[in-house]
Amino acid sequence: MSTVTPPDPHNQKNSVKDDEINRFNAIASEWWNRTGPMSPLHEMNALRIEWIQNILKTYQPLDKTCPILDIGCGVGIASEGLASLGYNVIGVDAAKDVIQAGKNHLNSVPLPPNSGEITYQVGTIEELVYESRQFQIINALELLEHVNDPQEFVHNISRLLTNQGIAFLSTINRNIPSFLFAKLGAEYLTRKLPIGTHNWKQFITPAELGKMAHHAGLRIVDIAGLTLRPNGWKITNNVKINYMICLSKA
């Protein structure tokens, strides 16, 4: 029986955008500043981890001892949140300065007792596919809006997932409210994010992401909104702006 060799990542279109990597590397030292340019990620993180944990508790096919792949992990904000719950995490990001900042933070601020282990590495999802890596659990949070080809990225998530594996993605809807709030408001009015962090045209509607998942052989397990209220972020049914989606490889 012949086997199919995965495409060489050096000979195919990469998901990584160099300008995005340069932008994030430039502020690598500021990512762990909870009031700095990545403050929204810190503010959302506890809710994102809670939502992921609640699904993992009830999703029986999974072996909870297997490592979680956190692709596009940045400095490890979500990676550390998951590891603190006892999960082992492999954090992968194409931005080498950002990965180094993640390693530095892990060394200077140790995880709580009984936490899982985190391994950080510089890399891309294409390289992982080429290496024929397999994971039962994959995270790709606030990443789809920053890649070259979201459909191919979702296909690669599917290629990395084992049968009955599960993936958690979060991104931003594309509509007038998201333009006003996530682009103009966050970058120009409140300066919560550096100007140029997002391109509104690259935001993805839940319907579009659902089609991408279907084409990649994935089914939707759950979807939830992250809504900013006067007293902070809340998990809601409102997916007009920020939303999270859980996908399964049936």
Side-chain angles (χ1 to χ4, degrees):
M1 180 183 296
S2 62
T3 58
V4 178
T5 302
D8 187 332
H10 301 101
N11 296 329
Q12 67 174 148
K13 185 178 180 180
N14 200 295
S15 61
V16 174
K17 292 186 172 183
D18 289 338
D19 58 337
E20 298 270 17
I21 297 302
N22 293 336
R23 183 181 300 115
F24 291 134
N25 273 330
I27 58 171
S29 63
E30 302 179 67
W31 274 53
W32 273 107
N33 178 0
R34 295 179 181 274
T35 60
M38 293 300 166
S39 61
L41 296 184
H42 289 281
E43 293 166 2
M44 293 182 204
N45 195 52
L47 286 176
R48 297 189 306 181
I49 299 304
E50 176 187 347
W51 182 74
I52 291 170
Q53 170 74 335
N54 286 340
I55 292 176
L56 291 179
K57 283 180 179 178
T58 60
Y59 204 75
Q60 296 305 318
L62 298 177
D63 177 358
K64 305 300 194 300
T65 64
C66 292
I68 296 174
L69 170 64
D70 191 9
I71 187 73
C73 64
V75 296
I77 296 172
S79 296
E80 288 202 10
L82 289 165
S84 68
L85 296 175
Y87 295 101
N88 295 322
V89 182
I90 298 174
V92 178
D93 200 289
K96 65 177 183 178
D97 293 344
V98 172
I99 283 289
Q100 188 59 53
K103 292 179 179 179
N104 293 343
H105 186 266
L106 190 60
N107 290 332
S108 61
V109 185
L111 294 169
N114 302 317
S115 294
E117 295 183 354
I118 302 178
T119 303
Y120 288 121
Q121 65 184 68
V122 178
T124 67
I125 195 168
E126 290 83 9
E127 290 167 345
L128 295 174
V129 170
Y130 182 64
E131 295 166 4
S132 300
R133 301 288 295 274
Q134 289 278 275
F135 300 90
Q136 285 196 328
I137 309 169
I138 297 177
N139 266 6
L141 306 179
E142 308 304 320
L143 183 59
L144 274 181
E145 66 270 26
H146 298 291
V147 302
N148 271 315
D149 187 339
Q151 176 65 81
E152 182 62 17
F153 189 87
V154 174
H155 269 295
N156 279 331
I157 286 178
S158 181
R159 292 172 180 128
L160 292 174
L161 277 176
T162 60
N163 287 335
Q164 296 186 309
I166 195 167
F168 299 95
L169 290 73
S170 63
T171 189
I172 308 175
N173 202 342
R174 189 182 68 256
N175 51 31
I176 293 175
S178 71
F179 178 76
L180 295 175
F181 180 83
K183 180 62 182 178
L184 292 183
E187 295 183 23
Y188 291 90
L189 298 179
T190 66
R191 298 298 176 98
K192 281 278 191 179
L193 293 172
I195 292 175
T197 297
H198 291 125
N199 179 346
W200 179 79
K201 293 180 180 179
Q202 292 178 227
F203 291 174
I204 300 167
T205 70
E208 289 169 342
L209 185 48
K211 289 180 181 178
M212 292 178 195
H214 178 74
H215 290 319
L218 303 172
R219 66 178 181 86
I220 298 174
V221 175
D222 197 6
I223 185 168
L226 273 167
T227 305
L228 184 59
R229 298 276 173 78
N231 59 341
W233 290 90
K234 304 293 180 184
I235 296 177
T236 69
N237 294 323
N238 184 347
V239 297
K240 286 184 179 179
I241 303 176
N242 297 81
Y243 67 97
M244 307 177 289
I245 191 167
C246 176
L247 304 173
S248 172
K249 187 172 182 178

